Amino acid sequence: MRRRGILQLPPVDGPAPKSFDIRKYKTAAVSCSCPFLCAVILIFHLSQTTLLKSGRTSELRRNNRALLACRLPPEILQEIFLYCAQTSFDTSTWSWVDLSYVCSTWRMAALDHRELWTYIDFSHPKWTALTLRRSQILPISVRASVNPKNQYTLLRTLQHAPMICDIHLIASIYDLGPLIKTLKTPNQCLESLVIVISPPDDNQEIRYSKRSTPSTGRPLPNLCYLELHRAPISFVSARYINLRHLSLHHLPFSERPARQDFLSLLERFTCLEHLTLTRAFPKNVAAGSCNAGRVIHLSNLLTVSLTGSVQELVNVLECLSLPPDGRIHCYVDRMGDFKTNFWKLAKVLGYHFHRNAWAMPLDTVAVTSREEGLRFTDEHGLNPDFRQTLRIRAFGVTEPTEPLLDLVLGPDAHSAHDEIIVSALTSVWEALPLMHIHTLSLQNLDVLTHKTWSRLLPSLTSIRVLDIGGHAPSGLLWALLLNARSHSHLEHDDMSFMFIPTLEDVYIHNVDCFTGGLMVSSSGPIHSHCDRDDSRFLDVVFAYLEDRRRCGLVLRSVAISCCENVSLDVVKEMQGLVSCLSWDHLGRYPLKKVGPPHLIKEEAAEPSVGYRDQWPSKPPALRHYYRLRILLQLDSS
């Protein structure tokens, strides 16, 4: 079968095509979301274009036989084609049907895969008719970017197709308008409905002409998945009696229901397992007029994912009761009401996990910090473009890969301040039941000083593993060191106030071991970025292990991997403080060779302590302290 405008590589026993259009396939290679298919298309282009133009048919056939893409098993090709049919419908420059015309091998693989042709192609009326005919009696999938050219074809398909199992439409509100009435009375076989309304070009709030009511009629027991982006709330119907996944995104304010109506609607979805609300909260939640007395119980609800302000998250979580294994994912993207409401959010989270601590205890806590931009300007003021994000994840014993709690804070203008980040972490930390935590993982978290850590560490009574990565958390090590030093000088064995006495293993990776820390400021909020500690991170670790050994608490293992500026002398001395020490040679600091050529000796050239870049140019005059040296001098005196 030949078609003008398609790159049609000849089959092994067929004539060469008379025309081709390589531009379409170059566009497909760029826009295709499948990396393998992108590479295959480019290989075809590079290997065949010259031969096609020159008309060397026999050589082209031999080249086809030699290409790996023409000799792939049909099962692999069919999986690739199916992936393209499922994901490439929002690309107007090419169609997945075009792939079946590349070569005879691809053609046969596509024709033999019946499920592939159930994804109706609405890029051109010819392809729509072709895919509808080849789908035969199987349930079809309607996925398309709605535009004036395919609007009528889509409407006819939605109205007259006997079985539709999947609908996924991307459209502007104007293009979707003629389809809304039909979509509210979907096919009885429908299992999944996804409607994405594109935001207006002027980024204004979408306003529908009038508030429509949910459709009435027979229940739709097959529909299990509903996802709406900027779509009318009337698409959420109580007719979906077996709905398991409800996902609402950017619900227009004019479409937001009252809080009581929203809760009443949720209560009808007794089979609901996953609830996602992204800036799609009830109307009066944002105004703060909530009644925390009403709580709905959804026994099958496994995951609640919320994205919004602190107050919006609080007012929704307050009225939901999750089973013990329920997961809570919260993304606080607006922290303007932080001081007033964040403690409420921590209280709600703590209540859920304390209530289920007996059935689903927390086993691992991972805290990750991420920064965007430099912290200060050339004038040594806080950079208005600086943002930082804090992520807190808590894992259970039985589900070590999927967090029971995933809380992300920022980035917005308010999260740029360290006080917000530290206060948020402290509030959540003190609210959660952490007495059974086995592993603590820290990534790029160096904004907490030892005073803050001294407040957080007493709740970790069962920790066995400490994992440290990225920026060196000097504040944590100083809190551990000062606590261990106070106990190592006691004449009796009172360890009741010892921090993490059950610690056994420490993993340090991707850390600059010569990094200094931040000091607590004598005035001001949390700490000062001008008051710095010149004590190297690895030296503080060594001092902590030494004092811990004096207390009779020798660690089982310490692992140092992929770190920078690892001091060989410190590592060798550390071997006598732990039962097992492992480290690689990748991060040891450079050695300089001195002496005559026949008597060359390696002498360590220790670099000075370093800090992360905070200023775009020259930093201000900093105040430095060598706390560890002073501490050791006080002991010797």
Side-chain angles (χ1 to χ4, degrees), residues 180-181 183-185 208 210-217 232-240 255 265:
I180 289 180
K181 183 178 179 180
L183 290 170
K184 288 184 179 179
T185 56
Y208 293 92
K210 59 181 180 179
R211 179 72 173 274
S212 57
T213 58
S215 59
T216 58
I233 189 63
S234 56
F235 277 110
V236 185
S237 173
R239 301 169 61 195
Y240 310 146
E255 289 292 312
L265 184 61

Side-chain angles (χ1 to χ4, degrees), residues 96-160:
W96 68 264
V97 180
D98 294 337
L99 299 175
S100 64
Y101 291 92
V102 169
C103 69
S104 60
T105 304
W106 288 28
R107 181 69 173 166
M108 293 303 299
L111 292 177
D112 291 340
H113 193 35
R114 290 187 62 194
E115 183 184 355
L116 176 64
W117 299 98
T118 63
Y119 291 88
I120 309 304
D121 189 342
F122 292 93
S123 62
H124 191 278
K126 180 191 298 185
W127 298 142
T128 304
L130 175 66
T131 50
L132 280 172
R133 185 173 69 253
R134 291 204 173 122
S135 64
Q136 297 179 4
I137 60 173
L138 296 178
I140 65 172
S141 177
V142 178
R143 301 188 176 196
S145 293
V146 185
N147 56 67
K149 295 181 179 180
N150 62 13
Q151 194 177 71
Y152 177 74
T153 307
L154 279 167
L155 181 60
R156 295 280 296 177
T157 303
L158 293 173
Q159 290 177 342
H160 301 290

Side-chain angles (χ1 to χ4, degrees), residues 85-283:
Q86 294 172 342
T87 59
S88 62
F89 61 92
D90 58 341
T91 303
S92 59
T93 54
W94 73 297
S95 164
W96 68 264
V97 180
D98 294 337
L99 299 175
S100 64
Y101 291 92
V102 169
C103 69
S104 60
T105 304
W106 288 28
R107 181 69 173 166
M108 293 303 299
L111 292 177
D112 291 340
H113 193 35
R114 290 187 62 194
E115 183 184 355
L116 176 64
W117 299 98
T118 63
Y119 291 88
I120 309 304
D121 189 342
F122 292 93
S123 62
H124 191 278
K126 180 191 298 185
W127 298 142
T128 304
L130 175 66
T131 50
L132 280 172
R133 185 173 69 253
R134 291 204 173 122
S135 64
Q136 297 179 4
I137 60 173
L138 296 178
I140 65 172
S141 177
V142 178
R143 301 188 176 196
S145 293
V146 185
N147 56 67
K149 295 181 179 180
N150 62 13
Q151 194 177 71
Y152 177 74
T153 307
L154 279 167
L155 181 60
R156 295 280 296 177
T157 303
L158 293 173
Q159 290 177 342
H160 301 290
M163 291 184 293
I164 301 177
C165 66
D166 174 24
I167 298 177
H168 189 159
L169 300 179
I170 302 175
S172 67
I173 184 57
Y174 307 104
D175 292 331
L176 189 70
L179 307 178
I180 289 180
K181 183 178 179 180
T182 302
L183 290 170
K184 288 184 179 179
T185 56
N187 192 286
Q188 289 291 317
C189 298
L190 189 64
E191 300 175 359
S192 173
L193 175 61
V194 179
I195 300 177
V196 180
I197 305 296
S198 305
D201 295 334
D202 54 4
N203 291 325
Q204 296 294 322
E205 182 76 18
I206 293 179
R207 301 186 67 88
Y208 293 92
S209 57
K210 59 181 180 179
R211 179 72 173 274
S212 57
T213 58
S215 59
T216 58
R218 291 187 302 169
L220 297 170
N222 292 328
L223 198 142
C224 299
Y225 187 96
L226 178 62
E227 180 178 343
L228 304 176
H229 296 253
R230 304 178 185 86
I233 189 63
S234 56
F235 277 110
V236 185
S237 173
R239 301 169 61 195
Y240 310 146
I241 57 176
N242 290 324
L243 187 66
R244 287 176 170 79
H245 190 127
L246 175 60
S247 183
L248 304 178
H249 301 261
H250 302 280
L251 190 65
F253 191 78
S254 60
E255 289 292 312
R256 297 188 182 189
R259 182 175 182 271
Q260 296 300 323
D261 296 338
F262 183 73
L263 295 180
S264 299
L265 184 61
L266 284 182
E267 278 186 312
R268 299 187 181 186
F269 301 136
T270 57
C271 298
L272 191 64
E273 297 178 355
H274 305 281
L275 174 63
T276 300
L277 301 177
T278 302
R279 296 189 181 181
F281 298 92
K283 183 179 297 184

